[in-house]
Amino acid sequence: MTLTDALPADPDPDSLFEAFSSWTAERGLELYPAQEEALIEVVSGANVILSTPTGSGKSLVAVGAHFTAMAQGKRSFYTAPIKALVSEKFFQLIDTFGAENVGMMTGDSSVNADAPIICCTAEILANIALRFGADAPVGQVVADEFHFYSEPDRGWAWQVPLLELKNAQFVLMSATLGDVSYFEKDLTRRTGRPTSVVTSAQRPVPLTYRYALTPLHETMSELLNGGQAPVYVVHFSQAAAIERAQTLMSINVTTKAEKEAIAEMLGDFRFTAGFGKTLSRLVRHGIGVHHAGMLPKYRRLVEQLAQAGLLKVICGTDTLGVGINVPIRTVVFSALTKYDGVRQRHLKAREFHQIAGRAGRAGFDTDGYVVVEAPDHVIENAKALEKAGDDPKKKRKITRKKAPEGFVNWTESTFERLVAAEPEPLTSSFRVTHSMLLNVISRPGNAFESMRHLLEDNHEDRASQRRLIRRAIAIYRALLAAGVVERLPEPDAEGRIVRLTVDLQFDFALNQPLSPLALAAIDLLDIESPSYALDVVSIVESIVDDPRPVLSQQQFKARGEAVQSMKAEGIEYDERMTLLENVTYPKPLEELLQVAYAGYRQGHPWVDDYQLSPKSVVRDMYERALNFVEFINFYQLARSEGLVLRYLTDAFDTLRHTVPDDAKTEALQDLIEWLGEMVRQIDSSLLDEWESLRNPDEDEGPHAPALPDGPPPVTRNERAFRVLVRNQLFRRVELAARRNYYELGQLDGASGWHAEEWEDAIEDYYDQHETLGIGPDARGPALLIIEKEPGLWKVRQIFDDPAGDHDWGISAEVDLAASDEEGAAVVRVIDVNQL
């Protein structure tokens, strides 16, 4: 049975509240006073601003709100700031209301979009509000994590529904809203509904705060011995979190029996080289790591080991403030400062309480604990004073440690201020874009009046409103000049005095807004060119979000190589430094793409809202014939594996769904299959999530297994596996072309081909030929011969010699069973010779 079965025949407030509270009681859930108050207001038709601590059951209030809307025949929308939370809530609501009653829209995916309950990102709802105005098919909005209203880049999406959806009921929720009196009055004015503010300072699990003057490993020993685990140690950089986890290996965190239970639960879980091996050592010791740069399968593994009670310590970043799914009894702050991209600063009260609020598990803990570590130099001074005791002479002799130069200090007073402080008031961050105007112009009615309402009745001050008005006028004139909109001599049947001259798909501003430009640029390519497949990849990469850590490392390596080259040429230091300013990460087709962008912008001025960004990540990986682990090691990206995977997944999904079938040559299809299989073998959870959202299985439901599933056998997709084999062999061809015998020996030493053997073979080749080709022809399928035997492929990678003799090459064997186990092509070189 689902909650839908409990819908009352008469949806009056008393019947609704009784039906929902009976349903919760049947599940052993007793409503807290704040939950009861909020639900009574919701069923009565009021707007509700719910500002209660983490763990106080806001999610249950949201369920009650959706239940109320459904009973009243209204369509309700749940919004969250990130897609992961949207999809998580989507699956939870399916369990509660049934798959036929819940849909999801994120820009990437649309599932059951006509359902009475929709889970979506804030931007999706904002665009619906802009496209339809007060007539939007939205009866109720449940806005979770509403404090994102203050985000500089995205806050507009939380504000627009408040401005436009005057017929909707709003439920705004967050643990850290601060003073909301402005929103209380504003919502009532706009919707005509009473607005109730439900607050509670009382947590279901009370928190105890402490400022620690002991080194962190001593603090941790004390917490573990005192039964205050699981402990989440919060850091404000990924590197610091990993480093701390490794130093805590010196503490005896788990018993022998618990270590055995961890090993049993891990089973044959595949940890890849690099960070995976580090994490394997840590979790077997009872210590987890959790941050956004990890592979999703590793984050999920840590979460589920923690849920099983097997991890006593987790070191991570402040990502737990956005809903990390792990049980936490104690939160330890390693610092009260963070780098915000511009400067090092103290935490804001909202940030502190958002993180601290994760301590204490309702239904499990009677108390939660928050510990803040003093700065290292303060701890050292405190220990020196303690050692001196009451002896005044010893105290005078103490040389007090000072904070490092440039260090942003915090003190016990900082700690006490943050504990006592209310979250800062939310501030407006409204903005105007081309897509906003296009959405408003597309709706019936007078677009100028609609825009005037948005620009003059938003939450900005008057000076900011004037800037927004000037920006809107400039955008409108550009759209008019481009012929995208036109003025009508008189209002049409729907009251429009200006209209669009083009058709826009609903999510044009959300899901790869530059996709049409990419299609136009692909038409400029020569499909017969040997580089066509990789050029298409470069076009697609230019419209995918930048993976900044990768680009930074590519630039760093490129500049290092440039310095070595310039030194070899005898260029002086000052000139080298000047020349280095122009060395950046690779940007294939940059000139062609910029020309295409300029031409496309003339007819589609809204692309000004988005930046074309030529780059080479997928192409770089393919051209260097590197697998994922090799790429991570080559650019030293171990802390950003998750980010790299997300980028590769986005690129794969965009290639798959943006490039027309008639533009996909055999070579391009091979490359797409290779990329998709590589992503699956690294961590299939992102692709699995997308596929499950596009095609949810209503019979089995969305429940996740105890541990992440292993990937399918890599040899299953023969087309992709053939490319993996080809890349493995071509990697050796490239190294041979550069006479890099050391790396060749590193690759094949285990099979008897050390640097010496490679050098002997390749120098024999160079006795006959001056060069060894590594261009498109050299890596083409024509120069790879494969003989298939049971469990084994015998392969011959032919060299592209300048004479065209094609009699030299690498003979190797590919072990299929070992490849499936490894998740990559396992190649063993047999010979390098002339036939």
Side-chain angles (χ1 to χ4, degrees):
M1 293 183 62
T2 65
L3 181 53
T4 313
D5 299 314
L7 290 170
D10 183 6
D12 66 275
D14 290 340
S15 299
L16 283 169
F17 184 80
E18 177 63 29
F20 187 74
S21 57
S22 297
W23 179 81
T24 58
E26 289 171 4
R27 280 149 186 78
L29 301 172
E30 182 178 350
L31 296 176
Y32 300 126
Q35 289 176 310
E36 279 195 351
E37 182 184 351
L39 287 166
I40 288 170
E41 296 292 346
V42 167
V43 299
S44 300
N47 300 311
V48 174
I49 302 175
L50 183 58
S51 180
T52 58
T54 302
S56 59
K58 289 185 288 295
S59 293
L60 191 61
V61 174
V63 170
H66 293 306
F67 175 77
T68 299
M70 183 178 285
Q72 296 171 343
K74 296 177 181 177
R75 199 158 184 241
S76 59
F77 281 70
Y78 168 89
T79 72
I82 58 176
K83 294 174 186 177
L85 288 181
V86 171
S87 61
E88 181 181 312
K89 184 62 65 174
F90 168 68
F91 287 135
Q92 289 174 359
L93 291 177
I94 282 178
D95 280 347
T96 304
F97 290 96
E100 70 279 5
N101 292 312
V102 186
M104 190 208 66
M105 302 164 69
T106 65
D108 289 328
S109 307
S110 179
V111 179
N112 200 16
D114 295 324
I117 300 173
I118 295 294
C119 299
C120 65
T121 52
E123 284 82 358
I124 285 284
L125 180 62
N127 275 273
I128 292 173
L130 290 169
R131 184 71 62 96
F132 297 101
D135 296 327
V138 181
Q140 182 193 81
V141 174
V142 178
D144 205 354
E145 307 289 350
F146 185 71
H147 57 273
F148 271 77
Y149 168 95
S150 284
E151 286 291 303
D153 294 330
R154 301 181 61 205
W156 68 273
W158 275 260
Q159 185 171 163
V160 162
L162 306 182
L163 306 180
E164 293 288 277
L165 302 178
K166 66 180 183 180
N167 297 322
Q169 178 188 30
F170 286 89
V171 180
L172 312 179
M173 307 191 306
S174 172
T176 54
L177 287 179
D179 180 11
V180 293
S181 55
Y182 173 83
F183 294 98
E184 181 183 5
K185 295 172 186 174
D186 188 69
L187 272 176
T188 297
R189 174 177 71 86
R190 294 177 188 278
T191 65
R193 300 171 183 266
T195 300
S196 176
V197 178
V198 180
T199 62
S200 173
Q202 184 175 357
R203 290 172 47 93
V205 180
L207 292 183
T208 300
Y209 294 88
R210 178 162 68 91
Y211 191 71
L213 287 167
T214 50
L216 192 123
H217 67 278
E218 290 183 18
T219 304
M220 293 299 297
S221 295
E222 181 184 337
L223 292 171
L224 292 169
N225 293 332
Q228 291 171 250
V231 182
Y232 196 106
V233 189
V234 183
H235 303 79
F236 295 97
S237 76
Q238 296 171 3
I242 297 168
E243 184 179 339
R244 182 79 67 185
Q246 291 174 318
T247 61
L248 290 176
M249 289 278 285
S250 60
I251 298 175
N252 190 18
V253 173
T254 53
T255 64
K256 183 178 179 182
E258 287 169 333
K259 289 177 181 176
E260 290 173 354
I262 291 170
E264 183 178 351
M265 189 169 177
L266 287 175
D268 57 357
F269 180 86
R270 183 194 292 170
F271 292 95
T272 53
F275 177 71
K277 300 302 181 186
T278 300
L279 182 64
S280 177
R281 290 194 302 272
L282 290 169
V283 296
R284 293 176 196 279
H285 196 74
I287 299 171
V289 175
H290 196 287
H291 61 72
M294 292 168 60
L295 294 178
K297 68 176 182 181
Y298 291 155
R299 289 202 306 271
R300 189 167 135 205
L301 173 70
V302 168
E303 290 166 9
Q304 293 178 353
L305 286 171
Q307 287 161 2
L310 296 175
L311 295 183
K312 301 294 180 64
V313 178
I314 302 173
C315 296
T317 57
D318 54 340
T319 51
L320 84 164
V322 193
I324 182 177
N325 186 26
V326 299
I328 302 166
R329 191 171 192 194
T330 302
V331 169
V332 175
F333 285 81
S334 62
L336 289 179
T337 59
K338 68 180 291 186
Y339 181 70
D340 62 7
V342 178
R343 61 188 176 90
Q344 194 80 14
R345 61 165 175 80
H346 287 128
L347 295 182
K348 297 177 181 177
R350 170 170 290 107
E351 294 167 329
F352 177 79
H353 288 294
Q354 194 74 23
I355 299 167
R358 295 293 166 182
R361 301 162 295 173
F364 293 90
D365 299 323
T366 56
D367 294 280
Y369 302 92
V370 179
V371 180
V372 173
E373 284 285 300
D376 290 342
H377 69 279
V378 174
I379 292 172
E380 288 186 41
N381 291 337
K383 286 187 76 72
L385 284 170
E386 182 183 4
K387 190 175 181 180
D390 296 328
D391 189 333
K393 291 183 179 179
K394 289 182 178 179
K395 285 184 177 180
R396 283 196 299 271
K397 289 181 179 180
I398 293 174
T399 303
R400 283 178 167 77
K401 297 274 187 179
K402 294 183 179 180
E405 188 176 347
F407 182 78
V408 177
N409 196 29
W410 68 92
T411 65
E412 191 164 3
S413 296
T414 313
F415 159 73
E416 291 169 349
R417 175 181 60 77
L418 286 171
V419 171
E422 290 293 320
E424 297 82 4
L426 298 175
T427 55
S428 173
S429 53
F430 197 73
R431 65 174 182 169
V432 177
T433 63
H434 290 77
S435 60
M436 178 179 285
L437 263 72
L438 290 168
N439 273 316
V440 171
I441 291 170
S442 71
R443 74 165 82 151
N446 187 324
F448 293 107
E449 289 300 320
S450 298
M451 280 305 303
R452 180 176 290 114
H453 162 70
L454 276 168
L455 295 170
E456 295 187 347
D457 195 21
N458 55 46
H459 298 165
E460 296 287 322
D461 59 35
R462 189 55 187 162
S464 297
Q465 288 178 351
R466 290 192 189 97
R467 287 195 296 271
L468 292 169
I469 290 168
R470 289 194 292 271
R471 166 76 172 153
I473 291 171
I475 291 173
Y476 171 71
R477 287 173 175 167
L479 293 172
L480 201 63
V484 177
V485 302
E486 63 179 5
R487 286 291 302 263
L488 299 177
E490 59 184 37
D492 66 10
E494 294 184 303
R496 293 185 180 89
I497 60 174
V498 60
R499 71 180 180 191
L500 297 179
T501 61
V502 296
D503 292 326
L504 301 174
Q505 78 264 27
F506 169 71
D507 59 353
F508 81 99
L510 295 170
N511 187 14
Q512 302 300 348
L514 295 178
S515 291
L517 167 62
L519 295 177
I522 288 172
D523 285 341
L524 300 177
L525 299 178
D526 177 7
I527 200 169
E528 300 298 328
S529 168
S531 65
Y532 171 79
L534 288 172
D535 290 342
V536 171
V537 169
S538 292
I539 289 172
V540 166
E541 289 201 77
S542 73
I543 67 170
V544 179
D545 289 343
D546 287 350
R548 297 199 176 278
V550 181
L551 304 186
S552 176
Q553 286 299 101
Q554 284 182 322
Q555 178 170 286
F556 177 78
K557 184 169 279 289
R559 288 184 171 179
E561 292 171 353
V563 166
Q564 294 304 318
S565 176
M566 286 187 277
K567 282 182 177 179
E569 294 174 21
I571 297 175
E572 295 297 325
Y573 174 82
D574 289 343
E575 187 179 354
R576 290 204 304 267
M577 293 302 100
T578 302
L579 292 172
L580 275 181
E581 292 298 318
N582 298 319
V583 178
T584 183
Y585 54 85
K587 299 179 180 180
L589 305 186
E590 181 177 22
E591 187 174 334
L592 179 146
L593 286 165
Q594 293 299 346
V595 170
Y597 181 79
Y600 189 78
R601 184 172 54 190
Q602 291 178 5
H604 309 80
W606 62 82
V607 302
D608 274 340
D609 292 339
Y610 312 98
Q611 291 300 313
L612 193 70
S613 180
K615 53 188 168 291
S616 178
V617 178
V618 175
R619 181 168 186 159
D620 187 31
M621 184 179 290
Y622 190 82
E623 287 186 321
R624 292 182 186 273
L626 299 174
N627 61 32
F628 182 78
V629 172
E630 290 167 341
F631 185 83
I632 293 295
N633 291 337
F634 185 75
Y635 286 113
Q636 298 181 349
L637 293 164
R639 293 197 300 271
S640 302
E641 285 182 340
L643 180 143
V644 177
L645 174 65
R646 181 164 288 281
Y647 176 87
L648 296 177
T649 308
D650 287 348
F652 169 63
D653 204 59
T654 306
L655 278 165
R656 214 175 19 161
H657 294 108
T658 299
V659 180
D661 288 341
D662 59 7
K664 292 177 181 174
T665 61
E666 283 293 312
L668 180 56
Q669 193 63 56
D670 281 351
L671 198 152
I672 294 171
E673 289 288 334
W674 159 78
L675 181 57
E677 190 60 34
M678 181 171 61
V679 166
R680 288 188 188 92
Q681 293 300 321
I682 300 162
D683 185 342
S684 64
S685 55
L686 289 178
L687 287 180
D688 291 345
E689 179 182 306
W690 278 349
E691 294 305 330
S692 66
L693 294 177
R694 290 193 176 103
N695 304 292
D697 188 331
E698 295 182 11
D699 294 323
E700 296 183 7
H703 306 289
L707 283 178
D709 289 333
V714 70
T715 58
R716 182 197 60 169
N717 184 340
E718 186 172 308
R719 183 172 196 167
F721 185 64
R722 182 185 289 266
V723 180
L724 291 173
V725 171
R726 187 192 310 159
N727 282 354
Q728 281 287 319
L729 290 164
F730 191 72
R731 172 104 173 104
R732 289 158 171 82
V733 172
E734 279 197 313
L735 292 171
R738 298 202 303 268
R739 292 176 164 169
N740 188 338
Y741 303 124
Y742 173 77
E743 284 196 37
L744 284 166
Q746 293 293 106
L747 283 174
D748 298 309
S751 57
W753 278 81
H754 302 91
E756 296 79 8
E757 284 79 13
W758 270 105
E759 183 175 2
D760 289 343
I762 298 303
E763 289 303 323
D764 285 347
Y765 167 85
Y766 278 115
D767 287 342
Q768 300 180 26
H769 304 284
E770 291 186 1
T771 60
L772 174 54
I774 54 172
D777 292 337
R779 71 180 311 146
L783 295 185
L784 179 66
I785 300 171
I786 298 176
E787 295 179 12
K788 300 175 186 176
E789 296 184 3
L792 187 74
W793 282 8
K794 292 185 175 180
V795 296
R796 175 77 174 176
Q797 174 65 58
I798 299 170
F799 289 169
D800 183 24
D801 62 87
D805 295 333
H806 293 165
D807 52 353
W808 274 88
I810 303 170
S811 297
E813 292 180 345
V814 181
D815 186 325
L816 303 188
S819 297
D820 285 336
E821 185 176 344
E822 191 72 24
V826 176
V827 174
R828 185 169 69 90
V829 172
I830 302 298
D831 204 355
V832 180
N833 59 2
Q834 181 181 25
L835 297 180

